[in-house]
Amino acid sequence: MALSDFDLVLFGGGGDLAMRKLLPAMYNRHRANDLPPAARIIAVGRHPWSHDEFLNTLEQNARPHILQDHFNDAAWESFRKRLSYVSLDASDGHTYGALAQTMRNDADNKTGTPVTRVFYLAMPPNLFATICRHLKECGLATPESRVVLEKPLGRDLASARQINHEVGQVFAESQIYRIDHYLGKETVQNLLALRFGNVLFEPLWRREWISDVQITIAEELGVGNRLDYYETAGALRDMLQNHLLQLLCIVAMEPPVSTSPNAVRDEKLKVLRSLKRFTPQMLTQNVVRGQYRSGHVDGVAVPGYRKEPNANPTSRTETFVAVKAEIDTWRWAGVPFYLRTGKRMADQLAEIVVRFKKIPHSIFARPNSSFQSNSLIISLQPDEGLQMNLMAKTPGDGMRLRPVELELDFRETFKMPRMDAYERLLLDVLRGQLTLFMRSDELEAAWEWVEPILEHWEQEGDDPLPYTAGTWGPAAASALISRDGLQWREESIPEK
Ligand code: BG6
C-alpha cells in the first residue's frame, strides 16, 4: 500500500535512538522509493542547533549506522532534503511555536492533499504526557494525527496507567502506537506464518506434546553509553516486561480470527492475563537476577557493570534475569516457559526453543544415550531461520538412531533485501496499521505480572547474583531449569 504524504516529527531527534535506528530506517525506505515525494521528517531536540549543525550530527552519528551496501550519495543527498530541525524544550509549551510553524496543516496548503502527522516520542516516559498536552495546546494534536510511544512505557504498573490515562486525554487509543521493536523482526512475523499458515504444528502446539519452551535474548554488549537509563531500568524493565513477554505471547496465543489489530491484541492480552501470578515462594524459586562482573567477551577483557565508566560502585541493578513462567490455560497448563535475557553474555543471540515430549514408547531395542526428543528452534538473530531436530537412522547395519537437523535459513531461502524492525514498524505507523503495536490493556497486564518481582527485589534488598562477563549468567539460572530435569539449550548441545 503506497504511503500518503506525511510530516514525521521525531522528539529526541538528535538522540541515540533517532541517530542509530530511526533516521537510518527512514533513509533506507527513502532509498527504496517508499516515501512520497513531499514527505518530511522534522527532528526536534533541546540542542540549539542550526540546520547545518543538525546535518553535521546526522553525518557523524546516523550515517555510520547505514549498511555500506545500502549507501548511495545521491539518495543520501535527496534524503537530507526531507529533513529539518526544530529546537524546543519539550517540557515548556511556550517553545512549541516554531514546530507549529514548520508543520503543514492536515491538508497541504499548496496541493490540498491530506498530510498524515506522526509524532514519535523517543523520549523518557515521564515526558510523554507533557508533550501530548503541549501538542494539543498548540493545535497540533488533531484527530487525524498519530503518536508513537517508545519504551520504557513507565517503570511500574502505576506509572504505566498514568501514562495511558494522560496520553489518552489527548489521543484516542486508535491514534496511539506503543512500539516494541521485537514485533517488527522478520522472524517474529515468520512465527505467525509458521503457526497459522501451516496445519502441521497446530495439533502439536499444546501441553499434550510440548514439554517446555525457552526464550532467550542474550547480548554480548554491555550497557554502552546508556548507563544512566539502564541504571534506573535493569534487565527486567528493559527486556523482560516487553520484548520477552511479547515473544511469549506470539508463541502461546490462540489463533486470532484475522490479523486485524484487535483480533491479534485480544489474543495476546488473554495470554498475559493467564500468566500464573507469583507467590512469594515462587519468586525465590522461579526468578533469578544477576549482574556481570569483569570477564572476557569474544576474547576481549571487559569491566564489570559496577566498574563501567561513571557507574555506581554499589549498584544493585540487574543485568540478567531468568524466569520460569507458567500459563494457566487448558492449552498450556503444566508447560514451563523459561525466559532469560542478559548483557555481556557468552553469545549474541535471540531464539525460541520449543521442545516436544519424549516418544511415548520405544520400539528400538537399544535406545542409545544420544536419543533426543524433537525440538523446534526459531532463531531471531543473528541467524534468521528454523531448525527442526529429529531422530534418524544412521546408515549401515543395525538400527542405530541419532539426532539430525532440518534447517531453513530465511536469508538463503528468500534472497531478497531485508527490512530492519524499525523500518517495518515506521511504515506501519505511517500506513495506520496497528497490529504490531501494544494496546493499553496489554501494557498494563504485562506490568501487572512483573510487578511482584520488582516488589520482591526491593523488599529483599539483596545484591543480584554475580556472573562473569562472557558466560551464560549466574549458576542459579541453570539450577532454575535443572530442578525440572531440563537444561538450557546450549547446555544440552554435545561438544563437537
Ligand atoms: C532495547 C533495549 O529495547 O533492545 C536494549 O533497550 C537492547 O538494552 C535492545 O540492547 C536489543 O535489541 P536488538 O534488536 O539489538 O536485539
Side-chain angles (χ1 to χ4, degrees):
M1 185 171 96
L3 295 179
S4 51
D5 196 9
F6 64 82
D7 276 355
L8 168 64
V9 181
L10 300 180
F11 279 83
D16 187 59
L17 185 75
M19 292 292 161
R20 268 188 318 113
K21 293 284 184 189
L22 306 178
L23 289 163
M26 291 308 286
Y27 161 78
N28 284 336
R29 288 304 96 207
H30 165 85
R31 183 177 155 272
N33 285 327
D34 278 347
L35 310 188
R40 300 183 322 171
I41 301 165
I42 303 163
V44 168
R46 248 177 322 126
H47 300 286
W49 287 331
S50 66
H51 184 63
D52 285 346
E53 283 169 325
F54 171 71
L55 290 183
N56 284 340
T57 311
L58 183 81
E59 206 64 37
Q60 280 164 23
N61 297 349
R63 188 172 153 169
H65 295 284
I66 297 169
L67 291 178
Q68 203 53 42
D69 292 357
H70 293 184
F71 193 81
N72 130 8
D73 284 323
W76 182 241
E77 195 43 47
S78 52
F79 175 67
R80 284 160 41 118
K81 296 212 171 84
R82 293 184 184 273
L83 302 175
S84 47
Y85 180 77
V86 173
S87 163
L88 63 70
D89 174 356
S91 60
D92 180 357
H94 298 106
T95 63
Y96 280 56
L99 176 61
Q101 276 167 20
T102 310
M103 291 191 71
R104 291 172 288 175
N105 293 325
D106 279 346
D108 186 321
N109 288 338
K110 290 195 209 114
T111 62
T113 49
V115 178
T116 307
R117 286 177 174 173
V118 175
F119 302 98
Y120 195 120
L121 311 192
M123 300 288 282
N126 58 347
L127 283 171
F128 289 168
T130 312
I131 297 173
C132 292
R133 213 176 40 247
H134 292 326
L135 289 174
K136 186 175 179 184
E137 283 157 8
C138 63
L140 289 173
T142 56
E144 287 72 36
S145 50
R146 297 167 199 161
V147 65
V148 186
L149 306 181
E150 231 334 306
K151 63 172 272 280
L153 286 152
R155 46 176 298 104
D156 51 21
L157 178 59
S159 55
R161 279 197 176 133
Q162 181 79 11
I163 291 171
N164 280 343
H165 173 72
E166 291 181 340
V167 173
Q169 305 271 298
V170 178
F171 293 100
E173 184 63 32
S174 58
Q175 297 174 275
I176 305 174
Y177 293 70
R178 294 178 192 80
I179 203 160
D180 184 311
H181 78 279
Y182 263 71
L183 292 181
K185 290 191 189 270
E186 195 65 60
T187 318
V188 177
Q189 297 184 21
N190 240 314
L191 182 55
L192 290 173
L194 179 83
R195 284 197 61 197
F196 306 121
N198 299 289
V199 290
L200 216 54
F201 296 103
E202 177 54 21
L204 303 177
W205 213 256
R206 56 192 65 248
R207 63 190 303 276
E208 288 80 0
W209 295 108
I210 290 183
S211 109
D212 65 287
V213 177
Q214 295 179 15
I215 308 180
T216 298
I217 307 179
E219 295 183 276
E220 288 184 344
L221 298 171
V223 284
N225 56 6
R226 294 165 72 231
L227 190 105
D228 284 350
Y229 151 72
Y230 199 85
E231 178 62 16
T232 61
L236 185 141
R237 291 187 175 93
D238 189 48
M239 302 291 286
L240 176 73
Q241 186 272 344
N242 33 71
H243 304 325
L244 282 166
L245 282 186
Q246 286 295 318
L247 294 181
L248 175 141
C249 285
I250 302 283
V251 174
M253 71 183 181
E254 294 298 318
V257 292
S258 70
T259 59
S260 75
N262 282 341
V264 173
R265 300 188 303 178
D266 284 349
E267 296 307 335
K268 288 199 290 159
L269 178 65
K270 283 188 213 158
V271 174
L272 292 167
R273 291 205 172 140
S274 317
L275 283 167
K276 196 194 278 293
R277 307 285 126 180
F278 287 115
T279 59
Q281 205 223 340
M282 283 163 70
L283 282 166
T284 35
Q285 291 274 315
N286 295 356
V287 183
V288 173
R289 66 173 171 152
Q291 189 188 64
Y292 62 83
R293 297 289 185 260
S294 61
H296 289 79
V297 176
D298 265 348
V300 178
V302 294
Y305 179 72
R306 291 177 175 176
K307 298 212 170 103
E308 294 280 5
N310 305 322
N312 168 2
T314 57
S315 168
R316 288 186 20 230
T317 298
E318 80 286 356
T319 60
F320 173 95
V321 61
V323 169
K324 173 181 167 184
E326 287 171 82
I327 302 173
D328 282 339
T329 60
W330 273 47
R331 189 188 281 267
W332 293 118
V335 179
F337 281 71
Y338 302 100
L339 315 178
R340 66 177 169 164
T341 183
K343 302 253 182 225
R344 290 285 190 227
M345 294 188 62
D347 206 351
Q348 182 85 18
L349 67 84
E351 67 178 21
I352 300 169
V353 181
V354 179
R355 261 199 304 221
F356 293 89
K357 294 213 162 149
K358 293 201 175 81
I359 49 169
H361 162 71
S362 176
I363 60 164
F364 305 106
R366 288 190 305 152
N368 52 32
S369 56
S370 63
F371 210 96
Q372 278 179 9
S373 44
N374 302 133
S375 57
L376 174 68
I377 298 156
I378 301 139
S379 303
L380 272 48
Q381 59 195 32
D383 304 328
E384 292 180 4
L386 294 178
Q387 184 182 312
M388 188 82 221
N389 293 328
L390 307 169
M391 294 303 294
K393 177 188 170 299
T394 7
D397 193 19
M399 191 63 171
R400 292 191 68 80
L401 271 60
R402 81 169 170 80
V404 290
E405 295 157 3
L406 275 183
E407 282 195 70
L408 173 64
D409 180 329
F410 290 132
R411 282 175 203 268
E412 274 298 308
T413 308
F414 303 102
K415 292 195 174 75
M416 294 166 75
R418 323 190 67 72
M419 270 200 232
D420 173 71
Y422 275 102
E423 286 177 51
R424 175 172 308 106
L425 294 174
L426 278 163
L427 288 185
D428 278 0
V429 176
L430 294 165
R431 288 190 190 113
Q433 173 54 260
L434 272 159
T435 303
L436 297 177
F437 297 84
M438 279 179 295
R439 211 168 49 193
S440 61
D441 44 9
E442 264 185 89
L443 173 71
E444 291 179 17
W447 276 118
E448 230 170 303
W449 185 71
V450 298
E451 198 155 69
I453 309 179
L454 290 169
E455 283 168 5
H456 174 72
W457 286 348
E458 216 153 90
Q459 283 160 13
E460 175 196 66
D462 289 348
D463 279 356
L465 299 169
Y467 64 96
T468 306
T471 65
W472 286 101
S478 298
L480 169 94
I481 189 165
S482 64
R483 265 199 300 274
D484 296 337
L486 299 165
Q487 288 169 311
W488 293 107
R489 184 167 102 87
E490 78 281 352
E491 294 170 346
S492 58
I493 299 175
E495 295 277 327
K496 290 229 165 108

